[in-house]
Amino acid sequence: MDTSNEATLSARIKALEAQNAALEEEKRHYQWLAESTTDLISRHARDGTFLYASQAARDLLGYEPEELIGVSAYQLFHPADLSDLLNKSPGSTITTVFISKPIAFGLRQVTTSGLKPPAEPAEMLPQAS
């Protein structure tokens, strides 16, 4: 290989390495955002299966994020709500059973004078069918 080809190749490798480093930094930034927010951020396969769930899943759903990976999001809906959801998403199919876990939650009310403190936590329990 002649010197000009080596220089071109070396410059291309350096450019790709810099681009890769920038992408890694951007990935770390978005990962930090996803893990720092109190909102649940999740990514799903076309069938609704969790591919990723942020740390907020623990507080909002009562599941560790790792527990949700591979689970269909449809398993987390109350059966009474599931038919309405499926009617709005005609391409969806459910092949799994409903799984529920009690969760505690508090509500805040926004008023013209500001944010009221959270109400006493309430517990949502699965309703008997």
Side-chain angles (χ1 to χ4, degrees):
M1 190 183 295
D2 65 19
T3 308
S4 71
N5 284 344
E6 286 179 21
T8 301
L9 185 58
S10 178
R12 180 70 178 135
I13 288 171
K14 281 185 179 186
L16 288 172
E17 287 172 345
Q19 185 179 20
N20 203 19
L23 288 171
E24 282 298 319
E25 180 59 32
E26 190 173 338
K27 177 183 172 184
R28 280 191 296 277
H29 173 73
Y30 284 110
Q31 185 74 31
W32 174 82
L33 284 174
E35 297 305 329
S36 299
T37 184
T38 56
D39 294 329
L40 174 62
I41 296 175
S42 59
R43 191 167 60 103
H44 302 266
R46 292 179 69 92
D47 65 356
T49 302
F50 278 90
L51 300 173
Y52 168 82
S54 66
Q55 296 299 317
R58 183 181 303 111
D59 294 331
L60 296 174
L61 301 177
Y63 292 93
E64 292 297 321
E66 299 79 26
E67 289 181 278
L68 293 173
I69 306 305
V71 172
S72 171
Y74 296 114
Q75 290 177 284
L76 304 178
F77 284 91
H78 190 280
D81 297 328
L82 197 52
S83 63
D84 288 340
L85 174 71
L86 292 176
N87 288 335
K88 293 176 184 172
S89 304
S92 302
T93 58
I94 303 300
T95 56
T96 53
V97 296
F98 175 71
I99 298 173
S100 69
K101 203 176 203 184
I103 62 170
F105 64 95
L107 300 177
R108 293 180 191 220
Q109 183 179 13
V110 178
T111 66
T112 55
S113 61
L115 190 63
K116 288 186 178 180
E120 284 297 312
E123 192 167 340
M124 291 180 60
L125 296 174
Q127 300 204 356
S129 340

